[in-house]
Amino acid sequence: QVQLVESGGGSVAAGGSLRLSCAASRNTLSYICMAWFRQAPGKERERVATIYDGGTTYYADSVKGRFTISRDNREYTVYLQMNGLKPEDTAMYYCAASEAFPCVYRYWGQGTQVTVSS
């Protein structure tokens, strides 16, 4: 059974940084797409960033220039470096993976909370 385990969340002041990690139970090369989503209370889930097997990345406009997604296939891990955090970045962050393209995220982690204070 595939498992994705997020870590690295926490509380930080506005302008600060956090790095989220997503450890997969099998080689991340198995996944064509790996992504970070977030969901704040009362809001819809939002795709924040995606990294494809070839290294191409996608970012939501709300995080472009501040967040960086990367993957380490040797360590079976995907990262989300978050800089210049804003209070509106406060949410539960989830890692997700798809084995095929177009991306259909079948595998999800349990989430890690990010809280940014003003």
Side-chain angles (χ1 to χ4, degrees), residues 19-43:
R19 187 176 81 155
L20 305 184
S21 299
C22 171
S25 59
R26 69 182 196 201
N27 197 329
T28 46
L29 286 172
S30 303
Y31 308 118
I32 302 299
C33 323
M34 295 199 74
W36 287 95
F37 289 77
R38 68 185 180 187
Q39 189 165 23
K43 294 189 176 181

Side-chain angles (χ1 to χ4, degrees), residues 11-115:
S11 297
V12 64
S17 299
L18 286 172
R19 187 176 81 155
L20 305 184
S21 299
C22 171
S25 59
R26 69 182 196 201
N27 197 329
T28 46
L29 286 172
S30 303
Y31 308 118
I32 302 299
C33 323
M34 295 199 74
W36 287 95
F37 289 77
R38 68 185 180 187
Q39 189 165 23
K43 294 189 176 181
E44 292 190 357
R45 186 173 60 195
E46 173 189 22
R47 182 165 60 108
V48 173
T50 301
I51 186 164
Y52 301 93
D53 61 338
T56 303
T57 56
Y58 156 87
Y59 296 97
D61 287 343
S62 57
V63 306
K64 205 171 289 184
R66 300 187 297 123
F67 290 11
T68 303
I69 189 171
S70 61
R71 61 197 292 173
D72 185 337
N73 294 324
R74 295 170 301 174
E75 298 294 332
Y76 298 7
T77 302
V78 174
Y79 301 99
L80 185 69
Q81 178 66 44
M82 305 186 295
N83 298 327
L85 282 162
K86 304 175 180 180
E88 52 263 43
D89 294 318
T90 295
M92 184 70 79
Y93 283 71
Y94 298 91
C95 175
S98 170
E99 295 170 309
F101 189 84
C103 306
V104 177
Y105 295 98
R106 178 182 174 189
Y107 305 108
W108 292 83
Q110 82 289 349
T112 186
Q113 178 68 37
V114 171
T115 302

